[in-house]
Amino acid sequence: MIKGRLVGLLSHAKKYIVYNVLWQWISLLAQMMAVFTIADLLEQVLFSAVDAGRFQRALAVLAAAIVIRFVCERMASRASCMASVDVKRILREKIYEKLLKLGAAYRDQVSTSEVVQVCAEGVEQLETYFGRYLPQLFYSLLAPLTLFAVLAFVNLKASIVLLICVPLIPISIVVVQKIAKKLLSKYWGIYTELGDSFLENLQGLTTLKIYQADEQKAEEMDEESQRFRQITMKVLTMQLNSTSVMDIVAYGGAAIGMIVAASEFLKGNLDFSGTLVIILLASEFFIPLRLLGSFFHIAMNGMAASDKIFRLLDLPEPETGGETLPKENLDIRFSDVHFSYEENREILKGVSLKLPAGSFVSLVGESGCGKSTIAGLLAGKNRGYSGGITIGGKNISDVREANLMKNVTLIRHNSYLFKGTVEENLKMAKPDATEKEMKAVLEKVNLLSFLETQGGLKTLLLEKAGNFSGGQCQRLALARALLHDSPVYIFDEATSNIDAESEELIMEVIRELAKTKTVLLISHRLSNVVGSDRIYMLADGEICQQGTHEELMEENGPYRHLFESQKALEQYGRNALRMDEERVVDDSAGMGKAVSV
């Protein structure tokens, strides 16, 4: 059971497999030498006299055999370990490189949980496949042939019988493989589905608690776990049954060989030492194949895992060019751009817009109109569009992804902050940033004074910066973006879901940034886009209005209606807040009078 593509992919591990087989073979030769010595010595003891010199030579040979076997077993284990290390490193590097090639949109083709599973458990299964199964497979072929070549000189009949019985184990393995292949494929499918559900429910646990849907999801996971338990028990049952069959074949074959040897001895065709040698070595014909059978089920699991790994490695990669963007005049232009996530649901329907270099342009519109899709296209996240998107006169699909990322920075409302220190998160944008540069951007977003009361740049962040408030997280993400210092910035709802103070501070930074950079602002609050050089209003995937704030207000169209409705709603909220504050003051005054009376 050898998968050519897998062996070809991990060709570096081949030499360790050869070393492993070689050391096991030398160990077998040492064992045979010890057995012949013991048999000869016993024959001398039982049927003739043994002098001291002969006895000492026998002891020396046995001691040498023990030392050789010890060294060989250690070296074989070391070769197995080296093969395992090599396999894990190469496979994880290949998967990582593939994810980089797939780009930010890899989740459109494969789930994160599946990637985690194949990188962790899937690769571990293949570690056993290369470190133990493949060396044992080749050694299992070599050992019986070596034993036959030697024992044929002792007694040909018994050796032939033993050799004929050996293939019965591989035959049983082949039969089991046909049954196990479908079962293990189903096992991995259910395992992946369970992992998907677990990860999704864990990530959305807070939402499930809010809507009291956690019990329902727990019941669904119980059902999935039950299905996984059932398929696991089927796999274990299959493994146990196949192991029993291989044991019967192995011990039965060895017993038949021993019986033939004993029969030859009784007929006088074989001396005592020869009989003893065949009896002691008969099991060695079958033990390597029996061990191979014990590794077989792990190998089958590894083969099933390799199918998933190759499915990931074979995913189509987005076409990326090799051009680089010019250093200046990065005008951005969309020309009749169409895009859809699903075949029958078009998101963008012929969008055309322009962002001159150094301009401050805003995209507005109701939720689902395609604003974030435009941001994703410009940042290289969304692929498969039709029409033209150019930056600095170059088609975005012809630009190297690394160069595009260097020149375009996307800041979303949920920008990811990693577990570690503030300094480590900032240096993702600029690895060689100095302490002065990092403190300068933190000062711009009004976060430096807070951090100095904590641990400064060494302040620790929990996973997803769980120990920071929403506003602090967004300001830190903005500081990291400023440190990146790219010519183009895209702010996709960067001020949503944060407090009013943080929102106003971030907008001040964006307005200041727009004086020197090209800025595309996507905002649900139209009051934030009033100062834009140009505003594009989207509706149902199309641009329905464009112009400055004043021009759009004069047109009395959807933009004005949305602006005025938001303004009225915000005014209502301020009035309600003021009335609540006045009521609290009146209540406090009333309580004060009551106390004085």
Side-chain angles (χ1 to χ4, degrees):
M1 189 178 64
I2 303 174
K3 201 164 190 174
R5 183 180 177 187
L6 192 60
V7 175
L9 180 67
L10 302 166
S11 57
H12 294 285
K14 288 180 183 177
K15 61 181 179 182
Y16 298 116
I17 294 173
V18 173
Y19 295 158
N20 192 329
V21 173
L22 180 61
W23 288 117
Q24 288 189 75
W25 185 69
I26 295 173
S27 176
L28 175 64
L29 294 179
Q31 183 179 353
M32 293 169 65
M33 181 174 66
V35 168
F36 274 99
T37 302
I38 292 172
D40 182 63
L41 184 63
L42 284 175
E43 185 175 47
Q44 294 295 324
V45 169
L46 293 174
F47 300 106
S48 62
V50 180
D51 58 36
R54 191 181 184 90
F55 187 76
Q56 290 174 354
R57 286 195 299 273
L59 287 179
V61 171
L62 289 174
I66 292 171
V67 171
I68 291 172
R69 281 181 60 82
F70 174 77
V71 172
C72 288
E73 287 176 6
R74 294 277 298 191
M75 295 303 292
S77 298
R78 184 176 183 276
S80 175
C81 178
M82 294 299 292
S84 301
V85 170
D86 223 28
V87 165
K88 288 194 286 188
R89 177 182 60 80
I90 293 171
L91 276 177
R92 285 173 178 152
E93 282 179 359
K94 293 287 184 183
I95 293 171
Y96 179 67
E97 289 170 3
K98 181 66 178 184
L99 291 176
L100 290 179
K101 290 177 181 177
L102 290 175
Y106 79 91
R107 285 182 294 183
D108 295 342
Q109 302 187 65
V110 60
S111 65
T112 301
S113 63
E114 183 172 344
V115 173
V116 171
Q117 285 169 343
V118 298
C119 281
E121 188 164 345
V123 171
E124 293 294 332
Q125 296 286 355
L126 283 173
E127 171 198 359
T128 305
Y129 178 81
F130 275 88
R132 305 295 296 274
Y133 176 79
L134 283 182
Q136 191 64 33
L137 173 62
F138 294 115
Y139 175 68
S140 299
L141 298 175
L142 182 62
L145 295 175
T146 302
L147 287 164
F148 176 77
V150 174
L151 295 182
F153 293 101
V154 178
N155 185 269
L156 183 61
K157 184 177 179 180
S159 301
I160 290 174
V161 169
L162 287 168
L163 188 65
I164 290 174
C165 292
V166 166
L168 294 176
I169 291 182
I171 290 172
S172 66
I173 289 176
V174 171
V175 173
V176 171
Q177 179 182 352
K178 292 185 179 296
I179 301 171
K181 190 171 184 179
K182 290 183 179 180
L183 189 61
L184 287 171
S185 179
K186 188 177 180 182
Y187 168 86
W188 269 95
I190 295 175
Y191 177 66
T192 302
E193 289 174 7
L194 181 62
D196 286 340
S197 299
F198 178 75
L199 182 62
E200 183 181 35
N201 292 338
L202 190 64
Q203 290 174 334
L205 186 59
T206 303
T207 303
L208 293 175
K209 285 288 186 182
I210 291 172
Y211 293 104
Q212 298 180 354
D214 52 318
E215 186 174 350
Q216 176 190 343
K217 287 294 183 182
E219 291 174 357
E220 291 176 3
M221 278 206 66
D222 286 343
E223 293 176 3
E224 292 186 49
S225 299
Q226 182 68 6
R227 287 198 298 273
F228 181 65
R229 184 191 68 80
Q230 290 171 348
I231 193 68
T232 302
M233 293 307 297
K234 287 182 180 179
V235 170
L236 292 175
T237 302
M238 178 268 296
Q239 291 176 347
L240 182 61
N241 291 338
S242 61
T243 299
S244 299
V245 170
M246 285 185 282
D247 282 341
I248 292 171
V249 172
Y251 297 135
I256 292 171
M258 292 176 186
I259 291 171
V260 171
S263 174
E264 290 292 292
F265 174 71
L266 293 175
K267 292 177 181 179
N269 297 330
L270 188 63
D271 60 14
F272 177 80
S273 63
T275 304
L276 188 59
V277 164
I278 292 176
I279 290 174
L280 291 176
L281 291 177
S283 62
E284 293 300 322
F285 275 85
F286 303 95
I287 287 176
L289 282 167
R290 176 61 190 83
L291 287 175
L292 179 68
S294 66
F295 297 142
F296 169 75
H297 301 292
I298 299 174
M300 283 295 295
N301 243 335
M303 295 290 282
S306 73
D307 291 338
K308 285 191 170 291
I309 291 173
F310 285 127
R311 195 177 305 129
L312 171 61
L313 296 179
D314 290 339
L315 288 174
E317 298 171 8
E319 295 182 3
T320 56
E323 296 190 29
T324 57
L325 294 173
K327 295 184 178 180
E328 297 179 350
N329 300 323
L330 294 183
D331 295 330
I332 299 171
R333 186 185 296 273
F334 280 61
S335 303
D336 192 30
V337 174
H338 294 257
F339 180 83
S340 60
Y341 294 103
E342 300 171 6
E343 187 175 348
N344 299 322
R345 190 168 69 92
E346 193 172 31
I347 304 299
L348 299 183
K349 305 172 183 177
V351 170
S352 296
L353 55 85
K354 184 178 180 182
L355 285 76
S359 63
F360 180 18
V361 176
S362 295
L363 284 176
V364 297
E366 297 181 354
S367 296
C369 66
K371 303 186 299 296
S372 294
T373 300
I374 290 176
L377 286 168
L378 191 54
K381 180 180 181 296
N382 297 332
R383 305 276 181 172
Y385 63 90
S386 63
I389 304 176
T390 60
I391 302 180
K394 294 184 181 291
N395 196 312
I396 196 170
S397 60
D398 295 332
V399 178
R400 286 190 299 107
E401 186 177 50
N403 186 250
L404 182 64
M405 296 296 101
K406 181 180 178 181
N407 286 276
V408 179
T409 302
L410 173 63
I411 305 97
R412 297 187 182 275
H413 68 280
N414 58 347
S415 295
Y416 202 93
L417 294 172
F418 292 84
K419 183 178 180 180
T421 65
V422 170
E423 180 180 3
E424 288 168 348
N425 274 271
L426 289 176
K427 283 193 171 183
M428 289 178 185
K430 188 179 180 182
D432 59 346
T434 63
E435 182 178 342
K436 183 179 179 180
E437 289 174 324
M438 289 187 283
K439 287 186 174 181
V441 294
L442 290 171
E443 181 67 38
K444 285 184 180 180
V445 300
N446 196 27
L447 199 59
L448 183 60
S449 56
F450 165 74
L451 290 175
E452 286 178 342
T453 64
Q454 305 298 311
L457 292 172
K458 301 298 182 182
T459 301
L460 291 174
L461 301 179
L462 300 179
E463 184 180 358
K464 294 184 180 179
N467 53 333
F468 276 33
S469 69
Q472 289 170 335
C473 288
Q474 198 61 6
R475 280 186 276 165
L476 181 56
L478 179 58
R480 182 173 61 189
L482 293 177
L483 195 61
H484 194 219
D485 194 27
S486 62
V488 180
Y489 282 87
I490 306 169
F491 295 92
D492 185 6
E493 301 288 9
T495 60
S496 64
N497 302 325
I498 59 176
D499 59 277
E501 180 185 353
S502 294
E503 179 179 3
E504 183 55 36
L505 190 148
I506 289 173
M507 283 309 305
E508 287 180 9
V509 174
I510 292 174
R511 294 185 192 104
E512 187 65 27
L513 186 67
K515 295 177 181 179
T516 57
K517 307 287 185 181
T518 304
V519 173
L520 175 62
L521 174 65
I522 298 171
S523 179
H524 64 285
R525 290 190 63 187
L526 300 192
S527 58
N528 290 335
V529 307
V530 171
S532 303
D533 298 327
R534 195 159 196 82
I535 301 169
Y536 289 92
M537 177 81 179
L538 272 77
D540 193 27
E542 298 177 309
I543 294 176
C544 60
Q545 283 185 286
Q546 58 177 296
T548 62
H549 172 71
E550 292 75 15
E551 291 170 350
L552 295 177
M553 291 298 288
E554 289 176 2
E555 290 181 11
N556 194 25
Y559 177 86
R560 179 172 177 174
H561 296 158
L562 185 60
F563 182 85
E564 290 179 346
S565 64
Q566 284 189 5
K567 188 174 181 181
L569 187 62
E570 289 174 2
Q571 185 61 44
Y572 174 80
R574 284 193 291 268
N575 291 339
L577 181 61
R578 187 171 63 253
M579 291 174 65
D580 288 341
E581 290 175 348
E582 290 175 353
R583 190 180 298 113
V584 171
V585 171
D586 292 342
D587 291 344
S588 299
M591 290 178 63
K593 289 180 181 180
V595 171
S596 62
V597 171

